[in-house]
Amino acid sequence: MSHSANPSEGRPPAFSYREIRKGFLRRKPVGSSLQCDDIPLERLAERFGTPLYVYSASAIRERLHSFEHAFRKIRHTVCYSVKANSSLGILRLLAGMGCGFDVVSGGELERVLRVDRRAAKKVVFSGVGKTVEEMQAALKAGVLLFNVESEAELWRLAECAARTREKARIALRVNPDVPANTHPYISTGLHQHKFGIPLSQARKLYAQASGTRYLRVEGVSVHIGSQITHVEPFAMAMERVADLVRVLRADGHRIQYIDAGGGLGIAYQEHESRDFAERAAEYAAALWRPLRGLKVHLLLEPGRAIVGPAGALITRVLYRKTNGAKKFLVLDAAMNDLIRPSLYDAYHEIVPVNMVAAKQDLNSSRRETVDVVGPICESGDFFARGRELPVTADGDLLAILDAGAYGMVLTSNYNTRLRPPEVLVDGKAVKLIRRRETMDDLLRPEIQQP
């Protein structure tokens, strides 16, 4: 594993250390402080408390711009995957940049509509278990495309469309049986997974759908998984989709869209030797090469790749603890605040918010091996095991990096813990986009007997 003296190396400049100076004319360096854009994280922790999610608006913009630039020569729409981070402040930022959205529930659709009802025209509705109520809401909103996951869902959607007299534009999500080389919980493109329709059945279903009055066949959809760090699986999936599109067009179907899904991974552990713009360009080439000559409109569903490195979870050390030779840092954040390490054994870089000059830096000899854990009564409540970190004291602040995706959206109230607030930083501006949950918020839905 490589360690970097600057967490921003190989990432957008969201989180980086700035020198702290004191004394006459501030000439004396006394250490360095981790900042989000131009704001010290220590100041945010003092103002909003911990645990605290912090996001960089500039980093989100930079990564979306890199994505758009990579596909600039291709007809395309970026449909941000709302499940990665569904905070209204993030969605509003992306909608303002002309982004579309990929939703997998009626609740996610409602979030997009609350931000901008006009954005519905750039929404693709995915998900393996759409309800009648969700279908009706999406038809009423006028979404761009339904990604249909099964034959049963196809006919349920046809019934809803006939009842509302709204035509449903559809793509069948096909299962290309392509291994994604990722964690088994987030791999979705093999026959044993619950997602999609086998390629062998697609042609027949397209023929049946095209004869249905209120269904309009418009595209083909595919999604093979998440956190995929090599482009070869994407290229293989597109080759199979391209072959299917040629067959379908020969059958007389007017296929306009190919939804390539999402899944492009980020570097949680090893810092990138290339910048994100380079990786996005490689991804674009892998997708487009098999599609040359088809004249399709490409739909893209990035989520983690856009917001992951733009966020961090700020937490404070409550206690240092030693059990024999084992050392622990007990934080005020827990698995209910960021469950990825517990759920996937996922790696997140953890760094001190403040470092004292000449006594501590990320590569100094004053390091120790610790388990970084939370206060929840579960042995699975951890952020890192056997991690080498700079020596840390009670009360010190730590930043858990790359927490912009699948962080806040997966929070819970386990152990009756209150969910953290979220702050969006844009240069020197700070905006609270979700306040800290209160006990009244948590207990309000419950029926309390006198």
Side-chain angles (χ1 to χ4, degrees):
M1 183 184 69
S2 65
H3 290 281
S4 167
N6 188 339
S8 66
E9 183 180 333
R11 311 167 187 265
F15 299 94
S16 57
Y17 285 99
R18 307 283 177 88
E19 198 169 61
I20 303 170
R21 290 178 173 270
K22 290 185 178 179
F24 183 64
L25 297 179
R26 297 188 180 274
R27 287 177 179 168
K28 183 181 179 182
V30 294
S32 57
S33 173
L34 192 63
Q35 299 195 177
C36 179
D37 289 6
D38 296 322
I39 304 296
L41 293 180
E42 185 175 30
R43 189 189 308 169
L44 296 177
E46 289 170 359
R47 179 175 171 187
F48 299 106
T50 56
L52 171 68
Y53 273 101
V54 178
Y55 310 111
S56 164
S58 62
I60 293 171
R61 285 195 201 94
E62 177 185 326
R63 292 180 82 85
L64 182 58
H65 283 148
S66 293
F67 222 88
E68 293 281 14
H69 184 75
F71 288 91
R72 67 193 181 282
K73 296 180 181 178
I74 306 165
R75 280 198 307 154
H76 74 277
T77 301
V78 173
C79 299
Y80 166 75
S81 180
V82 174
K83 69 176 183 174
N85 187 323
S86 61
S87 297
L88 294 178
I90 302 290
L91 301 185
R92 191 172 292 110
L93 173 66
L94 292 166
M97 298 171 67
C99 201
F101 298 94
D102 164 55
V103 303
V104 294
S105 73
E108 288 186 352
L109 174 61
E110 181 60 27
R111 283 180 171 273
V112 171
L113 297 179
R114 292 283 180 100
V115 166
D116 185 354
R117 298 199 72 84
R118 297 168 299 178
K121 298 184 187 308
K122 292 183 178 181
V123 166
V124 294
F125 197 158
S126 307
V128 74
K130 304 178 189 72
T131 66
V132 168
E133 293 76 17
E134 288 174 328
M135 290 176 179
Q136 289 172 339
L139 286 164
K140 182 180 178 182
V143 301
L144 173 65
L145 201 64
F146 287 87
N147 285 333
V148 176
E149 293 264 4
S150 67
E151 182 176 2
E153 182 192 320
L154 182 69
W155 303 129
R156 185 70 53 81
L157 179 59
E159 290 171 7
C160 287
R163 195 177 304 122
T164 59
R165 298 185 181 276
E166 297 279 354
K167 286 211 171 185
R169 294 178 290 274
I170 68 162
L172 298 187
R173 175 175 173 177
V174 296
N175 191 318
D177 200 29
V178 169
N181 299 320
T182 187
H183 192 284
Y185 288 8
I186 52 177
S187 177
T188 62
L190 295 174
H191 285 326
Q192 64 260 37
H193 298 138
K194 67 180 180 179
F195 301 98
I197 295 164
L199 278 170
S200 59
Q201 298 176 19
R203 190 177 182 187
K204 177 184 174 184
L205 274 182
Y206 272 106
Q208 292 174 336
S210 67
T212 305
R213 181 176 179 185
Y214 285 99
L215 296 181
R216 198 161 80 196
V217 171
E218 297 259 330
V220 176
S221 174
V222 67
H223 181 79
I224 59 173
S226 296
Q227 188 49 20
I228 302 168
T229 54
H230 299 284
V231 299
E232 291 77 14
F234 296 115
M236 189 184 305
M238 280 299 101
E239 286 169 5
R240 295 180 184 182
V241 168
D243 289 342
L244 176 61
V245 169
R246 292 184 185 97
V247 169
L248 294 175
R249 283 182 171 175
D251 289 345
H253 299 292
R254 186 168 168 263
I255 304 296
Q256 298 185 68
Y257 297 101
I258 288 181
D259 187 337
L264 183 64
I266 63 174
Y268 284 102
Q269 188 164 348
E270 296 291 338
H271 291 293
E272 287 289 345
S273 57
R274 302 170 299 158
D275 64 17
F276 180 67
E278 237 182 296
R279 291 192 60 236
E282 183 183 31
Y283 174 65
L287 289 183
W288 189 245
R289 203 169 289 120
L291 305 180
R292 281 178 180 163
L294 287 181
K295 296 181 179 178
V296 292
H297 187 118
L298 195 58
L299 302 175
L300 305 154
E301 300 172 3
R304 184 195 320 259
I306 302 296
V307 297
L313 176 61
I314 314 307
T315 178
R316 193 176 294 278
V317 178
L318 294 176
Y319 306 108
R320 292 179 56 87
K321 181 176 179 179
T322 301
N323 283 353
K326 193 80 170 174
K327 294 181 180 179
F328 297 89
L329 297 181
V330 183
L331 310 183
D332 63 0
M335 63 187 288
N336 76 294
D337 301 306
L338 179 63
I339 200 172
R340 294 190 72 255
S342 297
L343 185 61
Y344 304 119
D345 200 24
Y347 182 98
H348 282 267
E349 188 174 2
I350 302 172
V351 296
V353 168
N354 289 311
M355 294 187 296
V356 180
K359 290 186 179 180
Q360 191 181 69
D361 64 71
L362 288 181
N363 295 316
S364 78
S365 59
R366 297 191 73 252
R367 302 176 70 85
E368 60 182 350
T369 299
V370 295
D371 282 12
V372 184
V373 302
I376 280 179
C377 293
E378 299 281 353
S379 295
D381 180 23
F382 66 91
F383 296 109
R385 286 173 166 161
R387 183 74 62 86
E388 188 182 280
L389 293 176
V391 174
T392 307
D394 292 2
D396 285 355
L397 291 169
L398 297 176
I400 304 175
L401 301 180
D402 298 312
Y406 304 107
M408 189 67 199
V409 286
L410 287 171
T411 56
S412 75
N413 294 115
Y414 188 43
N415 280 196
T416 309
R417 284 174 54 85
L418 304 175
R419 290 184 295 172
E422 295 175 287
V423 168
L424 183 64
V425 177
D426 195 353
K428 297 181 184 300
V430 176
K431 182 184 293 185
L432 180 68
I433 59 174
R434 184 197 295 262
R435 61 172 173 78
R436 188 177 299 280
E437 196 169 36
T438 67
M439 192 57 68
D440 283 344
D441 294 330
L442 182 57
L443 298 180
R444 189 171 292 117
E446 297 188 37
I447 298 170
Q448 302 176 50
Q449 298 295 338

